Amino acid sequence: MAPQRQAPSQHVLAVESTEWLAPHLVRVVLSGASLAEFTCNGHTDAYVKLLFVDPALGLEPPYDLAALRTTLPAEQRPVTRTYTVRWADPAARRLAIDFVTHGETGIAAVWAAKARPGDQLVMAGPGGAYAPDPAVGWHVFAGDLSALPAIAASLRALPGHARGVAHIEITDPADILDLDHPAQVTVNWLINTDAGDTVFLARAMEDWPWPPATDSPGAVQVFAHGERESIKAVRKMLHARGIPREAISISGYWARGRSEDVFQAEKREPIGRID
């Protein structure tokens, strides 16, 4: 018999504070005793699973998710949302998550926009897979607001001698932030007012000056995450440039016109794959 997969431990946290960083980005700082056991895994794209349960059920966390998924009707089952950790301080038992807001649509973003000190949030994790390699000669970051927390954490983790560029696609110039980054890394804010232009980010990346020999081992490292169709175009462009697949961290964080649950389900289908 195969060993049973262990569910990740849950952290029951309280909102310490909230801060609107930009019109479409709110930071929620959370604290809780269990964060003393939070493992900083070294990934700058470290993510956690946020768990939302219908308050009308009166359930107290931590939740037995397996039992709830088999005993509750579909409309009352726990909802999971994935978010990048902006920063974590296990010694102080605190961490921060930046949420992209979309008005009154969504679950996690709506919660974050209305969160007040003392509100409860349950999360599990962290996971993650990427960290910038300090030995790489040229770093390329690309994404939209959904990828900004990971990009910002990665820029801050780079050594002072690092070189490269971060391409960040936004729709509103008011969302531009002052990010910490090495002097030889350019932060290129890209204003895209055409939601239907899914090659906007790839085109901007292709037009940017690339150093020679980026197709040689160890010459470049790429982190590209964001809206699925946009990232597919980025992947096509990187393939055409001959960037080695092992030098690329790439995935869709969301898909335009899809709910989170539909988007996650489609990851197992051809439409959701970014190879």
Side-chain angles (χ1 to χ4, degrees), residues 44-217:
T44 51
D45 68 340
Y47 62 84
V48 291
K49 301 289 186 177
L50 308 183
L51 307 175
F52 295 92
V53 173
D54 185 350
L57 297 174
L59 299 174
E60 290 295 327
Y63 306 120
D64 186 338
L65 297 178
L68 293 177
R69 285 169 182 149
T70 58
T71 58
L72 292 175
E75 66 273 12
Q76 287 189 317
R77 290 172 189 164
V79 174
T80 302
R81 293 292 183 263
T82 305
Y83 276 83
T84 303
V85 176
R86 181 60 181 84
W87 56 257
D89 186 347
R93 303 176 185 182
R94 303 169 72 234
L95 64 73
I97 299 174
D98 294 348
F99 294 80
V100 180
T101 61
H102 315 276
E104 291 299 316
T105 60
I107 295 175
V110 171
W111 175 87
K114 298 178 179 180
R116 297 292 181 268
D119 288 352
Q120 186 181 83
L121 184 66
V122 181
M123 75 175 200
Y130 168 86
D133 182 350
V136 165
W138 186 258
H139 297 269
V140 178
F141 305 94
D144 51 33
L145 273 184
S146 69
L148 181 57
I151 292 174
S154 299
L155 290 173
R156 192 169 186 177
L158 287 171
H161 65 267
R163 300 168 61 243
V165 59
H167 301 285
I168 305 173
E169 178 183 352
I170 57 178
T171 60
D172 184 346
D175 288 324
I176 294 175
L177 301 179
D178 185 14
L179 303 178
D180 292 336
H181 59 90
Q184 297 183 88
V185 176
T186 301
V187 178
N188 182 28
W189 294 95
L190 301 163
I191 315 299
N192 182 9
T193 58
D194 181 1
D197 186 358
T198 58
V199 298
F200 177 87
L201 181 59
R203 188 168 59 247
M205 293 174 68
E206 174 65 17
D207 292 344
W208 192 264
W210 290 68
T214 51
D215 57 349
S216 60

